[in-house]
Amino acid sequence: GQGGHGLAEALRLQALLEKNGATVHLTRTTDVYLSSKERADIVNTSGAEVLVNLHLNGWEDPSFDGLYVLYGK
């Protein structure tokens, strides 16, 4: 699916955070589509103190690429 690259980065970030003592809850661990409601339900029941929303973006023009991270408490 299209989210595979973002998922790979999320799994790498999970490993890094856990290595440094964080407890990490992911909204998904495989490349499957989840609706916004499904993601919100997971987040709202996780008991998390911090939310990190990771997105990888791409465009048809290869000179544009990147990621953005939304962080909230």
Side-chain angles (χ1 to χ4, degrees):
Q2 294 179 354
H5 296 297
L7 179 59
E9 292 303 317
L11 294 171
R12 286 181 35 189
L13 180 58
Q14 175 189 26
L16 178 65
L17 290 170
E18 288 177 344
K19 181 180 177 183
N20 286 281
T23 299
V24 178
H25 303 275
L26 299 176
T27 56
R28 62 191 182 99
T29 57
T30 60
D31 191 13
V32 296
Y33 173 79
L34 295 177
S35 70
S36 294
K37 180 175 181 345
E38 289 171 309
R39 291 171 195 257
D41 288 345
I42 292 168
V43 170
N44 289 332
T45 60
S46 72
E49 295 179 24
V50 174
L51 170 64
V52 177
N53 189 343
L54 174 69
H55 292 272
L56 293 176
N57 298 310
W59 292 264
E60 290 181 16
D61 182 342
S63 67
F64 293 98
D65 65 1
L67 71 97
Y68 67 91
V69 176
L70 304 174
Y71 165 85
K73 291 169 100 177

